[in-house]
Amino acid sequence: MKGVMGLLLAAGLGLVGAISNWFYLERLARTEEQVYFIAIKDGKAVKEGDVIKSDDLERFGIPRSAVGNLENVAPKWSAVSSISGLRANRPLNEGDIILNADRVTRNYRSMAESLQTQEVARWVPIDASTVVPEHINPGDWVSFDVPRVGGSVPTPTGSNSVTSSAGGYTPAEIIGPFRVASLGTRREAVPVSGSRRGTGGSESRIAIVVKLEKDGQLEGQARRLFDAIRLSGGQGVQVQLHSEKLDDQTPASP
């Protein structure tokens, strides 16, 4: 019985302490000098990659004695003009305080700007039932499992062979590797701790970087790839992801 009374007494004292602390902070907020920082307004949210607008921001005051190390990691309200117009490098939700790290913007170049003179981007439909897009990121190297060109027709999706016009089976062909430029509209890695933010079916096409020959035609392996895709009627193909240690030079086109 004494143990129960002790627990109840401790719980009561804890509640009293919490209430006292709250009243203490409230008193500080009314009587002590405030240090103002930049925060996201209530009801506002900024997605990663979107521009932070002045209307998304509000002044957020903290009593000076409670600021602690925040002054070293977050810009004050006087610097709000340096935040408005930046692209968010992380998702920002209502109440979030803007940090100095939020001033470091990522390089959101257009895809065309990222290509070399003798490179083009081409889109490849992928078989969504056999691919997990979250494990593929722009900059990775992939190859594609496609029907071998030569008078054959594809078997149902997911098969690793194709049916020839003579009734036999011809093994599919692996063509690649190619560098990934984007998955659907995504041109960055999926954050490890973040969600996909509803990209869904938009990642059913992979944009790859293809080299051009001197006459302006696609390199040999790219021609074979897109001939095979046309042969399959534009059906989605399977994807093979290569190690990130793969040399940055793709094999010479046959």
Side-chain angles (χ1 to χ4, degrees), residues 29-103:
R30 291 193 303 268
T31 62
E32 192 176 332
E33 177 190 3
Q34 301 280 297
V35 179
Y36 292 100
F37 295 91
I38 308 166
I40 301 297
K41 281 183 181 178
D42 289 346
K44 296 285 187 176
V46 183
K47 294 180 180 178
E48 183 178 348
D50 286 355
V51 174
I52 303 173
K53 302 175 182 176
S54 57
D55 188 50
D56 297 322
L57 306 172
E58 68 178 357
R59 192 174 69 163
F60 180 76
I62 298 177
R64 177 165 292 283
S65 62
V67 168
N69 192 49
L70 189 59
E71 280 186 300
N72 297 325
V73 298
K76 295 180 182 178
W77 177 253
S78 58
V80 66
S81 60
S82 68
I83 301 300
S84 179
L86 293 180
R87 288 189 182 274
N89 60 18
R90 64 182 174 100
L92 296 168
N93 300 308
E94 59 179 284
D96 285 354
I97 293 178
I98 300 296
L99 304 175
N100 290 332
D102 295 322
R103 294 178 173 183

Side-chain angles (χ1 to χ4, degrees), residues 111 123 181-187 199 201-207:
M111 189 182 297
W123 279 259
S182 71
L183 287 92
T185 59
R186 176 163 66 89
R187 295 188 56 210
T199 52
S202 67
E203 295 186 359
S204 62
R205 288 183 179 273
I206 292 180

Side-chain angles (χ1 to χ4, degrees), residues 35-253:
V35 179
Y36 292 100
F37 295 91
I38 308 166
I40 301 297
K41 281 183 181 178
D42 289 346
K44 296 285 187 176
V46 183
K47 294 180 180 178
E48 183 178 348
D50 286 355
V51 174
I52 303 173
K53 302 175 182 176
S54 57
D55 188 50
D56 297 322
L57 306 172
E58 68 178 357
R59 192 174 69 163
F60 180 76
I62 298 177
R64 177 165 292 283
S65 62
V67 168
N69 192 49
L70 189 59
E71 280 186 300
N72 297 325
V73 298
K76 295 180 182 178
W77 177 253
S78 58
V80 66
S81 60
S82 68
I83 301 300
S84 179
L86 293 180
R87 288 189 182 274
N89 60 18
R90 64 182 174 100
L92 296 168
N93 300 308
E94 59 179 284
D96 285 354
I97 293 178
I98 300 296
L99 304 175
N100 290 332
D102 295 322
R103 294 178 173 183
V104 180
T105 58
R106 294 181 181 174
N107 189 5
Y108 290 89
R109 293 192 300 167
S110 69
M111 189 182 297
E113 188 180 355
S114 69
L115 297 172
Q116 300 300 313
T117 304
Q118 292 302 112
E119 291 179 339
V120 294
R122 293 287 297 262
W123 279 259
V124 178
I126 63 175
D127 180 0
S129 67
T130 64
V131 180
V132 182
E134 294 95 327
H135 295 315
I136 304 174
N137 292 307
D140 288 346
W141 292 89
V142 296
S143 293
F144 301 96
D145 187 345
V146 299
R148 187 180 298 276
V149 176
S152 55
V153 294
T155 56
T157 299
S159 173
N160 61 1
S161 63
V162 294
T163 307
S164 72
S165 56
Y169 287 92
T170 303
E173 180 180 13
I174 303 294
I175 301 179
F178 300 94
R179 191 172 82 251
V180 176
S182 71
L183 287 92
T185 59
R186 176 163 66 89
R187 295 188 56 210
E188 294 187 350
V190 175
V192 174
S193 60
S195 66
R196 294 187 60 210
R197 301 189 301 279
T199 52
S202 67
E203 295 186 359
S204 62
R205 288 183 179 273
I206 292 180
I208 59 172
V209 177
V210 177
K211 294 180 181 179
L212 297 178
E213 296 180 344
K214 291 182 179 180
D215 60 0
Q217 299 300 309
L218 298 180
E219 59 179 324
Q221 67 171 358
R223 289 199 303 270
R224 294 207 321 277
L225 171 64
F226 290 105
D227 283 347
I229 292 173
R230 281 190 289 270
L231 173 68
S232 71
Q235 291 184 16
V237 297
Q238 296 186 38
V239 181
Q240 177 173 287
L241 176 64
H242 292 277
S243 167
E244 65 177 6
K245 299 178 180 64
L246 184 69
D247 186 18
D248 198 42
Q249 297 297 319
T250 58
S253 302

